[in-house]
Amino acid sequence: MNTFKYLYMKTLALKLLIFIYIFCLSGEVHSQTLDSLVGEPESLLEGMMEQYTSATSSETDFSQWFLELETLKFRPVNINSMNQEELQRLPLLNDQQIMNLQAYTREYGLLASIYELQWIDGFNQVFIDRIAPYITIEFRQEDDFKLKNAFKYGHSKIEMRYQRIIEDQSGYEKVSDSQIFLKPNNYYTGNQDGLAFRYRYSYRDQLQLGIVAEKDAGEALFGGPDSLRKGFDYYSWHLYLKNIRKLSYLALGDYQVQFGQGLTLSTGLSMGMISGILPSRKRATLIKPHNSFNENTFFRGIAIGIRQKRFLFTTFYSMRKKDGNLVNSDSTEDASAFVTSIQESGYHRTIAEIADKKVISEQLMGLNIQWSGSHVIYGATYYHSGYSLEIQKKSDPSDLTSNGTAGGNYLGVDYSYSYKRMILYGEGSYQLNGGYAFIQGLNLSLHPMLTVSSFYRSTGFNYINNYSAISSSSGTNKSEWYMGIETVFKKFRITAYTDFQKYSWLRYRVDSPSLGSSQGIELLFTLGRKGETRLRYKNSINAMNRDVELEKVQKIGYSKKQDFQWTLSYQPLPWLRIGNKVYISQLQSADAAKEKAYMISQDLKIQAFDSKLGFMLRYTMFDTDSYESRLYSYENDLPSSFSVPALNGRGSRYYLMLQLNVIKDTDIWIRYSRTCFPSATHISEGSSQIASDHKSDIRLMVSFRF
């Protein structure tokens, strides 16, 4: 740990030197409200993304969250609106805050300033400052939608992105065709460059038009074998209309769906349980345009929503081809062909990955009916899904979905009831000739300073739904009960929760029915309007095979993991923000020795010269005993992008990011990052192996708004 302390002091010294240098330039730096690079929209989601990634242990696409926040900047929410749908456009407002806001405006009239919010229960000065970029005060209703105005007063935005890992990777070696034929999974057909293009046109939130094109690193663009199709690997487009007379929405092309609590049908991201934030009912987004680089979580076709008094009728149809492992045939038209699994990586870099591309067609159609009252919302959803080929998963006792057939008919009912300080919600879902799932939740505000949240969720043995918010096999045949409490004072907030899980069947690395639990507490202390600091502790107990040799069925034991986190975000000057993170983790499994993990990072964010120049720096050191005790740390990235790398082993990581705004409505972003492992001889395995002790990444983006 002496080396660790030395590096930490070295980081502090570097930070101090940069601070002195920038302070000397302060005569040329104008005081302003931090925006864009140095602003805090990402920090609102930082803890969510770290814990969600840690819980799922997989790469998850959070870009849709950033796109929504970015859209809100250009069309803020009118907090004087009595329309609940308008207020719900801002995901940072919870249901209780919306109810308190509407009650206040009914009693005292429209707000004259956004800072009048501090007189409403659930709002304080720090929270108001955070949501300020996304809200506005309007005293009149907007004009009716006119198509000529939509094309006259709308806005366009173009984004062009570039990304590359600088070091050579083994998959890009120049080898003979015979070697590629013998090992089709080992070599990439394209170069190391990742390219992306996105165009968006929007008018209010009533008209949106978008086009997306992308190629991942390793995918061929114009080169590669002659048999490959030229051009970008992934294309997406959408046309979306909303709230035009009785038409609630019309989506053409690619779109996302979520009804009720997402139990029966959801293509969006489910946030789950997150320490420091009490879970509440999900707001059904119904139909939204898909405009991200994610190649999987969307429908492709048409969706229409018609409102008739208190009823909202939605019908949709989707047809798209998906990747899969094709077996026993060279043609998808062969009746004997089948697919062992559907691939969702979106990568088509090797000959084997290209062979899996678009081999199976998926067709979905459905209907949702929603009835809204003054305090209650009822909903019913039915949809059918089918595939052009049979899906025969490899037999796996721990994966119940391998014993059933994906697709079929699904029926769900949901409700949401709110009265004064209580919100009650739930949903039940049933797969015809299959299993069931249901969720029941309660949010109760006992006092303006005290909130309680609880829910119970259960999934049956044979519930197989690829488009459920709990579609993973770990969520099958699982019962879960959660209880949380939050108390808010003037300067600090305390959140505590406990969560119990019961698994009635085998799951990954657990060859027996088992139990699990987690408890956590978080203290958030505000430093006036300058920043905040938070302390977080989490204790989780999970089952795991004891890995006894020569045993066909492993006996299980229980591992205990404790996580301690301290973060600081402080803004001493209008153009300067500094931050610190300290993460400590301790893992004790049934058979292995106790493992420890540490991470310390320093942040520096600067916005200078009338926001024409932005600068961001982070330096991180980490030390973990194994991959099992890895740590996740959110990093700032290009706009509407995300990065939550898993840190394991011993090493350091840093990144630098610049934003330039030399021309009006034109931004240039440059991001460089490097991870170093001093004692390593190589990084990664297989096609992505790097024969070095470091890995570097560069990302560029240019955006035009007009």
Side-chain angles (χ1 to χ4, degrees):
M1 296 301 295
N2 290 333
T3 303
F4 199 75
K5 291 179 179 178
Y6 167 74
L7 290 173
Y8 182 60
M9 296 302 295
K10 186 177 179 181
T11 306
L12 289 176
L14 174 64
K15 184 176 178 181
L16 180 60
L17 288 173
I18 294 175
F19 175 78
I20 294 172
Y21 174 73
I22 296 298
F23 188 77
C24 292
L25 297 177
S26 61
E28 300 182 42
V29 179
H30 301 279
S31 176
Q32 68 242 331
T33 301
L34 294 185
D35 188 23
S36 187
L37 178 68
V38 190
E40 286 295 290
E42 294 88 356
S43 69
L44 299 170
L45 306 173
E46 182 173 337
M48 301 181 190
M49 291 190 293
E50 285 184 356
Q51 296 200 41
Y52 191 93
T53 305
S54 176
T56 59
S57 299
S58 63
E59 294 185 5
T60 307
D61 182 17
F62 301 97
S63 59
Q64 192 64 35
W65 290 355
F66 293 107
L67 286 171
E68 291 180 11
L69 288 178
E70 185 178 345
T71 301
L72 285 169
K73 276 191 173 183
F74 294 103
R75 189 179 181 275
V77 171
N78 179 19
I79 58 173
N80 268 334
S81 175
M82 293 302 293
N83 185 344
Q84 187 161 339
E85 183 179 349
E86 168 69 10
L87 298 175
Q88 288 180 344
R89 288 179 51 231
L90 182 59
L92 308 177
L93 290 178
N94 61 42
D95 291 319
Q96 192 62 57
Q97 288 172 318
I98 291 176
M99 291 169 60
N100 294 344
L101 173 59
Q102 290 180 318
Y104 181 89
T105 53
R106 279 194 298 266
E107 183 173 355
Y108 300 105
L110 300 180
L111 279 67
S113 165
I114 63 172
Y115 295 105
E116 193 176 342
L117 288 169
Q118 61 187 317
W119 303 108
I120 303 175
D121 291 342
F123 294 85
N124 57 38
Q125 191 61 59
V126 175
F127 182 78
I128 295 170
D129 289 339
R130 280 187 164 184
I131 66 174
Y134 314 111
I135 61 177
T136 186
I137 297 287
E138 296 289 344
F139 299 97
R140 65 180 182 86
Q141 296 294 324
E142 291 183 336
D143 297 332
D144 293 336
F145 176 84
K146 294 181 180 179
L147 188 61
K148 64 177 183 179
N149 290 340
F151 288 103
K152 183 177 180 180
Y153 299 112
H155 298 279
S156 294
K157 185 173 185 180
I158 294 176
E159 295 177 5
M160 294 182 289
R161 299 171 181 242
Y162 172 84
Q163 178 178 343
R164 181 187 178 99
I165 293 176
I166 297 176
E167 291 79 11
D168 293 331
Q169 297 172 272
S170 60
Y172 296 99
E173 292 179 7
K174 300 297 182 182
V175 297
S176 64
D177 292 341
S178 59
Q179 286 181 279
I180 296 177
F181 179 78
L182 291 173
K183 298 180 179 181
N185 286 319
N186 287 18
Y187 300 100
Y188 301 137
T189 59
N191 58 31
Q192 292 184 237
D193 299 330
L195 303 173
F197 168 86
R198 176 160 54 199
Y199 169 77
R200 286 177 288 170
Y201 181 87
S202 61
Y203 172 70
R204 301 177 180 171
D205 65 340
Q206 293 180 289
L207 171 65
Q208 295 185 52
L209 173 65
I211 301 172
V212 172
E214 184 212 32
K215 112 170 180 65
D216 294 305
E219 296 174 342
L221 184 64
F222 299 114
D226 293 336
S227 59
L228 294 183
R229 188 186 69 174
K230 307 306 179 183
F232 287 95
D233 175 73
Y234 165 66
Y235 294 95
S236 174
W237 72 274
H238 71 267
L239 172 63
Y240 183 76
L241 299 173
K242 181 180 179 183
N243 292 335
I244 302 175
R245 297 180 182 178
K246 290 187 178 181
L247 180 68
S248 287
Y249 41 78
L250 169 63
L252 297 174
D254 297 340
Y255 59 91
Q256 295 187 0
V257 179
Q258 183 184 7
F259 299 123
Q261 298 303 305
L263 200 61
T264 306
L265 183 58
S266 174
T267 59
L269 179 63
S270 177
M271 291 167 56
M273 280 61 64
I274 300 163
S275 172
I277 297 178
L278 295 186
S280 61
R281 63 176 176 182
K282 291 184 175 66
R283 298 174 189 163
T285 55
L286 303 178
I287 306 295
K288 299 180 67 174
H290 175 76
N291 197 37
S292 79
F293 298 115
N294 187 300
E295 301 183 29
N296 293 288
T297 58
F298 63 89
F299 288 171
R300 174 167 289 173
I302 183 172
I304 302 175
I306 303 293
R307 184 172 296 280
Q308 186 66 35
K309 295 182 179 180
R310 291 183 177 270
F311 286 94
L312 176 59
F313 300 91
T314 301
T315 183
F316 61 91
Y317 174 81
S318 172
M319 168 70 83
R320 59 180 297 226
K321 291 187 175 182
K322 307 192 75 171
D323 300 349
N325 294 126
L326 188 65
V327 176
N328 288 346
S329 178
D330 296 328
S331 171
T332 57
E333 297 178 358
D334 190 336
S336 64
F338 65 92
V339 170
T340 58
S341 64
I342 295 178
Q343 301 296 319
E344 296 187 348
S345 69
Y347 291 132
H348 306 107
R349 304 163 298 182
T350 66
I351 297 299
E353 289 175 345
I354 293 170
D356 292 339
K357 184 177 181 180
K358 296 183 178 180
V359 299
I360 183 171
S361 295
E362 177 190 67
Q363 181 176 234
L364 299 102
M365 60 187 73
L367 172 70
N368 173 267
I369 302 175
Q370 185 182 95
W371 184 89
S372 302
S374 56
H375 295 284
V376 66
I377 300 175
Y378 296 109
T381 304
Y382 166 80
Y383 85 95
H384 168 82
S385 65
Y387 297 90
S388 59
L389 294 175
E390 184 180 0
I391 301 175
Q392 298 181 11
K393 292 189 176 183
K394 296 179 180 179
S395 179
D396 182 0
S398 68
D399 184 2
L400 295 177
T401 64
S402 64
N403 302 321
T405 302
N409 298 282
Y410 299 86
L411 179 65
V413 292
D414 62 89
Y415 81 98
S416 175
Y417 174 75
S418 58
Y419 180 72
K420 293 185 178 180
R421 298 182 180 274
M422 180 187 72
I423 299 173
L424 198 64
Y425 61 93
E427 181 174 0
S429 181
Y430 176 64
Q431 179 187 9
L432 275 63
N433 300 318
Y436 67 90
F438 72 88
I439 182 173
Q440 176 61 58
L442 170 68
N443 285 79
L444 187 61
S445 180
L446 301 174
H447 184 272
M449 299 170 58
L450 182 63
T451 303
V452 175
S453 177
S454 178
F455 75 83
Y456 178 78
R457 181 171 64 187
S458 178
T459 55
F461 184 85
N462 208 24
Y463 185 76
I464 305 168
N465 186 350
N466 292 335
Y467 288 106
S468 172
I470 52 169
S471 60
S472 65
S473 59
S474 62
T476 303
N477 209 37
K478 171 185 174 182
S479 299
E480 181 175 15
W481 179 74
Y482 174 98
M483 183 73 180
I485 186 170
E486 180 176 273
T487 180
V488 180
F489 299 92
K490 185 176 181 180
K491 288 288 187 179
F492 62 93
R493 181 190 72 197
I494 301 175
T495 307
Y497 75 94
T498 184
D499 186 17
F500 297 97
Q501 310 98 34
K502 179 182 179 181
Y503 301 89
S504 301
W505 190 245
L506 287 62
R507 53 195 175 100
Y508 177 63
R509 299 177 69 183
V510 184
D511 292 345
S512 172
S514 59
L515 301 174
S517 67
S518 62
Q519 297 79 35
I521 186 169
E522 178 186 86
L523 170 64
L524 172 67
F525 186 80
T526 62
L527 307 172
R529 301 179 65 175
K530 297 286 188 178
E532 64 183 29
T533 183
R534 68 180 71 209
L535 290 169
R536 179 181 292 165
Y537 169 77
K538 180 182 178 181
N539 177 72
S540 56
I541 300 175
N542 292 293
M544 184 176 293
N545 290 338
R546 303 193 67 170
D547 197 20
V548 180
E549 293 184 3
L550 304 179
E551 291 284 349
K552 292 184 178 181
V553 178
Q554 299 291 335
K555 296 180 180 179
I556 67 169
Y558 285 86
S559 64
K560 180 180 180 181
K561 186 177 182 182
Q562 299 183 80
D563 294 291
F564 304 86
Q565 297 181 6
W566 172 70
T567 62
L568 168 68
S569 179
Y570 188 67
Q571 184 175 322
L573 297 169
W575 48 271
L576 174 67
R577 181 176 291 274
I578 58 177
N580 299 76
K581 284 186 178 183
V582 178
Y583 289 4
I584 302 174
S585 180
Q586 180 175 284
L587 175 65
Q588 178 65 67
S589 60
D591 299 313
K594 184 181 295 185
E595 296 185 13
K596 295 182 179 180
Y598 307 90
M599 187 201 78
I600 299 177
S601 68
Q602 301 282 334
D603 286 286
L604 181 67
K605 304 178 185 180
I606 299 164
Q607 196 85 47
F609 306 107
D610 287 331
S611 297
K612 294 184 180 297
L613 171 66
F615 174 81
M616 184 177 297
L617 165 69
R618 171 179 291 182
Y619 188 84
T620 302
M621 293 161 293
F622 56 91
D623 187 353
T624 73
D625 290 336
S626 75
Y627 182 74
E628 295 292 339
S629 55
R630 63 194 178 277
L631 298 171
Y632 292 88
S633 177
Y634 167 81
E635 296 179 352
N636 293 94
D637 210 322
L638 304 180
S640 68
S641 298
F642 62 94
S643 180
V644 190
L647 303 177
N648 68 284
R650 176 177 292 182
S652 62
R653 176 176 171 83
Y654 66 87
Y655 69 85
L656 304 167
M657 188 157 65
L658 292 176
Q659 177 210 7
L660 302 173
N661 180 229
V662 293
I663 304 175
K664 183 180 180 182
D665 296 326
T666 300
D667 288 286
I668 301 174
W669 298 75
I670 305 172
R671 185 183 193 271
Y672 174 81
S673 64
R674 170 173 281 200
T675 307
C676 302
F677 301 90
S679 59
T681 57
H682 67 275
I683 298 174
S684 298
E685 301 291 341
S687 302
S688 59
Q689 186 177 99
I690 298 173
S692 175
D693 64 352
H694 58 267
K695 180 179 180 180
S696 308
D697 177 271
I698 187 167
R699 304 183 184 188
L700 308 175
M701 172 178 159
V702 180
S703 69
F704 311 91
R705 182 174 173 82
F706 54 94

